[in-house]
Amino acid sequence: MALMTGEQYIESIRKIPMQIYMFGKKVENPVDDPILRPALNSVRMTYDLAQMPEYQDLMTVISPETGERINRFTHIHRSTEDLRNKVKMQRLLGQKTAACFQRCVGMDAFNAVYSTTYEIDKRYGTHYHENFKKFMLYCQENDLTVDGAMTDTKGDRSKAPHEQADLDLFLRVVERRPDGVVVCGAKAHQTGIINSHEVIVMPTISMGPDDKDYAISFAVPLDSEGLYMIVGRQSCDTRKLEGSEMDVGNAEFGGVEALTVFDHVFVPNDRIFLNGETEFAGMLVERFAGYHRQSYGGCKVGVGDVLIGAAAVAADYNGAAKASHIKDKLIEMTHLNETLYCCGIACSAEGHPTESGNYMIDLLLANVCKQNVTRFPYEIVRLAEDIAGGLMVTAPSEADLRDPKLGPVIEKYFKGVSTVSTENRLRILRLIENLALGTAAVGYRTESMHGAGSPQAQRIMIARQSNLDHKKALAKAIAHIKED
Ligand code: SF4
Ligand code: FE
């Protein structure tokens, strides 16, 4: 089975006995939970679109390893075309879900671990690349959703992992056995973890020789003993329990993050991809972060397309579409959104092969991409709120709209252009609210700021890659400066 249907994906998650907690209670199954189900629906879209002939080229590839058609989310990029198609696929999925569809973290971890393990083995004669390829084939053949877990909780930011007051604040090896290792620690803000079959764990920062136990990378299934998740709250999440899909704004799709705890989880030897080779921790982090910063030039752009469309519909319904300042705001939103896309495509087009043969994005351009993502969606949201008007946050509930006495009053006073129903006007405003302030704001706003690394992390990488000496030499040559 190289490709699962969406329904098969949902049922496969149902079968995994995961330990999930939310609001102080154990969630028996995320598939049937009204708060968590929309996040599964977003991942499901990565399976549904792969079944459609019109999206086959974008969503699937023929695996060079197996010769079978596989989902692009389990693929190792083999060309700059692969890298560009990845971004285009992410834009498409953002358009179809208006949410974080979560499966990219595993794809980005796949590609970072693939090339890094190759280089570790070359230096040390280890077998991490072989281990990883075996795991990768298993995921390709079964079309699994794999998460990538990087962000440790980090405790005191001024201290290295081994200097922390509590040694578990960075995930670490607590026991080494002949058949594997036992790990303790936690990964924070873990996107899509409750919707995945497997998780690849990676270190979160570059490490020195004293952090040997923290330089660990591996993959385990989500029902591993000792592994559990505590789901993060999202703004307006309990609206999903109220029974009004209209008030949620985007009732079908969403994203999810959770604190993922590893309490003495056993990892067998053949699932280990890094174990104590501290100098490679930084390479793994840099490559994963680079790929995920590229990803944002696709996914956020697709969600931006929906938001721009929603703002334009709101303008139509308000009778304001012809006003020149509205037109100009929509142009500005488009300009910002397409600039992000330019960055995603550019860092892909300028990609290059690694020693292992897979393709890496241009790191400088990927970091510029993500740095722009920390800003532009905020401006796009600001303009959408401007166009939408205050009603997006003061509109009465669907229950009032349906009420026999209050409904006609709402119909009358919140009517925009006479040809459009008040319900449709309120629906589009709720969608904008969802993206700007509701559950989807996690993915479109704060995740744009901190996901794939906070802004300062990109600035450090931009500084490293900027080659200022070369630019100075250019200036001196033009100015005919000769220094002794
Ligand atoms: Fe994919 Fe974007 Fe979500 Fe990251 S933030 S998992 S790139 S949709
Ligand atoms: Fe993300």
Side-chain angles (χ1 to χ4, degrees):
M1 183 200 5
L3 284 177
M4 265 201 268
T5 64
E7 199 48 41
Q8 285 168 334
Y9 159 71
I10 296 285
E11 291 314 307
S12 69
I13 294 292
R14 190 193 293 283
K15 287 192 198 114
I16 305 175
M18 288 187 226
Q19 308 291 316
I20 303 171
Y21 297 90
M22 186 169 63
F23 298 124
K25 295 194 188 90
K26 186 157 185 293
V27 177
E28 278 321 315
N29 205 298
V31 172
D32 301 320
D33 187 276
I35 287 188
L36 301 178
R37 180 57 187 252
L40 271 109
N41 291 343
S42 299
V43 184
R44 179 192 171 139
M45 191 59 86
T46 71
Y47 290 89
D48 284 338
L49 294 185
Q51 300 281 335
M52 298 182 189
E54 63 267 43
Y55 300 125
Q56 183 174 295
D57 287 349
L58 222 44
M59 297 298 307
T60 68
V61 281
I62 301 296
S63 165
E65 287 83 17
T66 65
E68 294 278 313
R69 186 167 290 284
I70 57 164
N71 196 297
R72 189 177 291 283
F73 279 96
T74 62
H75 179 51
I76 299 293
H77 315 303
R78 291 308 199 310
S79 63
T80 53
E81 190 187 4
D82 270 351
L83 290 170
R84 286 195 307 275
N85 280 337
K86 171 196 161 186
V87 171
K88 290 179 186 177
M89 169 182 76
Q90 290 168 311
R91 184 172 188 169
L92 173 71
L93 280 154
Q95 291 171 342
K96 297 287 188 189
T97 59
C100 167
F101 38 90
Q102 306 146 63
R103 203 174 170 187
C104 329
V105 242
M107 168 173 55
D108 292 341
F110 255 50
N111 278 275
V113 174
Y114 186 88
S115 61
T116 305
T117 51
Y118 182 91
E119 291 179 43
I120 308 172
D121 286 358
K122 205 174 125 196
R123 172 144 351 144
Y124 289 109
T126 42
H127 299 284
Y128 300 139
H129 193 60
E130 210 174 284
N131 288 352
F132 179 71
K133 281 211 298 199
K134 191 173 139 210
F135 171 69
M136 178 191 78
L137 287 178
Y138 165 68
C139 296
Q140 287 187 349
E141 278 159 9
N142 294 285
D143 200 8
L144 301 182
T145 288
V146 180
D147 208 349
M150 178 162 276
T151 310
D152 288 292
T153 50
K154 297 199 277 287
D156 181 341
R157 269 57 172 175
S158 70
K159 291 184 163 47
H162 71 278
E163 295 168 341
Q164 296 289 332
D166 181 335
L167 292 177
D168 292 341
L169 291 176
F170 287 76
L171 188 137
R172 66 187 176 126
V173 175
V174 292
E175 190 189 341
R176 292 177 194 279
R177 298 178 7 189
D179 53 346
V181 296
V182 177
V183 298
C184 277
K187 294 289 183 181
H189 331 299
Q190 199 45 55
T191 294
I193 189 78
I194 64 160
N195 304 334
S196 300
H197 303 97
E198 297 271 344
V199 56
I200 296 175
V201 171
M202 297 162 283
T204 201
I205 49 169
S206 301
M207 288 176 183
D210 293 334
D211 291 324
K212 218 168 179 328
D213 289 339
Y214 297 88
I216 181 78
S217 176
F218 58 87
V220 286
L222 262 294
D223 56 355
S224 299
E225 208 181 321
L227 178 57
Y228 61 94
M229 287 76 81
I230 308 170
V231 175
R233 287 214 67 167
Q234 296 179 336
S235 173
C236 307
D237 48 9
T238 47
R239 278 199 199 181
K240 293 177 193 162
L241 303 176
E242 293 169 2
S244 163
E245 53 89 22
M246 186 176 155
D247 285 356
V248 176
N250 178 359
E252 198 175 345
F253 302 106
V256 69
E257 277 77 26
L259 178 71
T260 305
V261 182
F262 295 76
D263 180 8
H264 294 87
V265 172
F266 173 68
V267 185
N269 283 328
D270 67 349
R271 284 293 192 95
I272 296 175
F273 313 136
L274 170 79
N275 188 7
E277 295 80 5
T278 46
E279 71 275 33
F280 283 96
M283 180 188 286
L284 192 49
V285 173
E286 188 175 288
R287 290 183 179 180
F288 172 74
Y291 281 124
H292 211 55
R293 289 168 194 173
Q294 168 210 24
S295 288
Y296 279 35
C299 75
K300 303 302 179 213
V301 180
V303 179
D305 287 328
V306 177
L307 183 56
I308 294 167
V313 172
D316 287 345
Y317 290 179
N318 286 346
K322 291 206 173 75
S324 62
H325 73 100
I326 297 287
K327 284 186 196 160
D328 193 56
K329 280 163 189 159
L330 290 168
I331 292 167
E332 178 65 9
M333 292 164 84
T334 304
H335 157 70
L336 292 169
N337 205 41
E338 298 299 334
T339 303
L340 299 180
Y341 188 55
C342 292
C343 293
I345 292 294
C347 70
S348 306
E350 291 289 292
H352 57 86
T354 65
E355 285 185 34
S356 69
N358 79 338
Y359 268 64
M360 182 69 199
I361 39 76
D362 181 281
L363 266 181
L364 174 59
L365 298 184
N367 278 279
V368 169
C369 177
K370 174 67 213 319
Q371 182 79 180
N372 283 336
V373 171
T374 66
R375 301 172 182 171
F376 295 180
Y378 286 83
E379 180 63 6
I380 294 170
V381 161
R382 189 184 73 78
L383 291 166
E385 289 188 23
D386 182 347
I387 292 171
L391 188 57
M392 67 170 263
V393 290
T394 63
S397 68
E398 183 182 5
D400 292 323
L401 181 67
R402 307 285 176 225
D403 183 81
K405 182 172 164 217
L406 305 174
V409 179
I410 292 167
E411 279 284 353
K412 175 181 163 79
Y413 286 110
F414 289 131
K415 192 92 178 165
V417 296
S418 60
T419 49
V420 174
S421 71
T422 300
E423 175 173 335
N424 283 351
R425 186 169 177 231
L426 295 179
R427 277 184 180 277
I428 208 68
L429 295 179
R430 287 287 179 220
L431 174 58
I432 296 172
E433 183 197 28
N434 175 258
L435 285 159
L437 308 161
T439 50
V442 177
Y444 193 60
R445 289 175 54 132
T446 316
E447 192 179 44
S448 288
M449 180 68 78
H450 294 293
S454 306
Q456 188 57 21
Q458 290 111 58
R459 297 186 86 76
I460 291 167
M461 286 303 295
I462 290 169
R464 266 193 223 154
Q465 307 276 327
S466 65
N467 202 351
L468 212 50
D469 286 342
H470 174 61
K471 293 180 174 70
K472 283 189 199 170
L474 293 174
K476 286 177 186 171
I478 297 285
H480 298 287
I481 291 174
K482 289 194 180 63
E483 290 172 336
D484 301 328

